[in-house]
Amino acid sequence: MARRIGAILIDLSGTIHIDDTVLPGAIEALKRLRASDVKIKFVTNTTKESKRLLHQRLTRIGFDISESEVFTSLTAARQLVDSRNLQPYMLIADAAKEDFSDINCEKPNAVLVGLAPEKFDYDHLTAAFRLLIDGAPLIAIHKARYYKRSDGLALGPGAFVSALEYSSGCKAEVVGKPESSFFLSALEDMKCPASEAVMIGDDARDDVQGAIRAGLQGILVKTGKYREGDESNIDLKPSYVAENFAEAVNYIIENWLDS
């Protein structure tokens, strides 16, 4: 049987870990996947910390992952900011600003929004609104509705991006999942066409449906932010629904890779 999958994109938070807790079986499943020699990349919309800090967290809790294997929506946002010479007013977590540390933002000409609970207050949002009504573009690193924390589900940045859109009358440009460009950018240096790749994640809309729209296969795991029936609430159905990451890996090895 010929290999049908050449690359696997793996979501992080909610799929293999939640904060500093490794989800059961994830480390062992990743080792099995690496033994198959399939290309692997970890893709995430996480914006609460820089890529370097995220990698340190993953290493500290026991994952054998190199920093070069991690592709974040912060990376995609930085590429966009650089390509357009933007000086954004940033509503992002302080721990994530490291990825934008060398950008001059003294005279902001854009608004950049990520997950930043400490910045989503009236004064910060009003400052962003004033820039937008004067013509500054609104860039959403992602528009997740909610995410999973150790203490339960929590509101994502999507609600605050939508509030700015509503009040300013502008439309945000989204750079992270579920945008097709995000998935295709992640695959670019893997030299693998989307038709031969699969995405594994816990978000039916942003991970799975987004990947399928981009031409990949999509596997939904019932961990993290997953809620019963999520797979029935999207137009493009998952290629497979797994109880967890370990089951997703077993399915891929048994059905989509050479024996």
Side-chain angles (χ1 to χ4, degrees), residues 18-173:
I18 295 174
D19 294 336
D20 286 339
T21 300
V22 177
L23 293 181
I27 290 176
E28 295 77 10
L30 180 57
K31 290 178 180 178
R32 292 200 304 276
L33 204 54
R34 288 197 186 282
S36 71
D37 291 329
V38 68
K39 296 175 181 177
I40 296 172
K41 186 169 285 187
F42 302 87
V43 295
T44 177
N45 271 348
T46 295
T47 59
K48 64 183 180 180
E49 57 194 351
S50 68
K51 179 177 176 178
R52 181 185 64 84
L53 293 176
L54 172 62
H55 177 253
Q56 286 183 355
R57 178 196 296 268
L58 294 170
T59 301
R60 185 175 69 250
I61 62 178
F63 286 104
D64 180 15
I65 296 173
S66 69
E67 189 171 345
S68 63
E69 290 180 305
V70 180
F71 186 78
T72 79
S73 53
L74 288 170
T75 303
R78 176 59 194 257
Q79 291 171 351
L80 185 148
V81 167
D82 287 344
S83 69
R84 299 184 188 174
N85 295 314
L86 298 177
Q87 298 181 32
Y89 177 73
M90 294 187 286
L91 295 179
I92 64 175
D94 290 339
K97 287 186 176 179
E98 176 181 317
D99 288 345
F100 301 88
S101 60
D102 57 343
I103 295 177
N104 184 346
C105 297
E106 291 181 2
K107 297 181 179 180
N109 59 4
V111 174
L112 181 68
V113 184
L115 180 63
E118 70 277 10
K119 302 291 175 59
F120 292 149
D121 56 54
Y122 191 81
D123 288 342
H124 282 98
L125 291 169
T126 295
F129 161 74
R130 289 173 177 169
L131 288 167
L132 296 174
I133 60 173
D134 283 342
L138 175 59
I139 301 165
I141 300 179
H142 64 92
K143 286 184 73 175
R145 296 171 297 160
Y146 52 86
Y147 68 105
K148 184 65 178 288
R149 299 191 313 202
S150 58
D151 62 347
L153 294 178
L155 197 63
F160 303 95
V161 173
S162 294
L164 290 170
E165 288 179 317
Y166 175 76
S167 292
S168 68
C170 72
K171 181 71 174 176
E173 180 175 357

Side-chain angles (χ1 to χ4, degrees), residues 8 10 15-16 25-36 38 40 198 200 219 221 240 242-257:
I8 300 174
I10 304 169
T15 299
I16 64 172
I27 290 176
E28 295 77 10
L30 180 57
K31 290 178 180 178
R32 292 200 304 276
L33 204 54
R34 288 197 186 282
S36 71
V38 68
I40 296 172
V198 59
I200 306 173
I219 294 181
V221 292
Y240 183 70
E243 290 297 321
N244 49 43
F245 177 67
E247 184 182 318
V249 167
N250 288 340
Y251 180 84
I252 290 171
I253 291 174
E254 292 172 4
N255 293 276
W256 289 342
L257 299 180

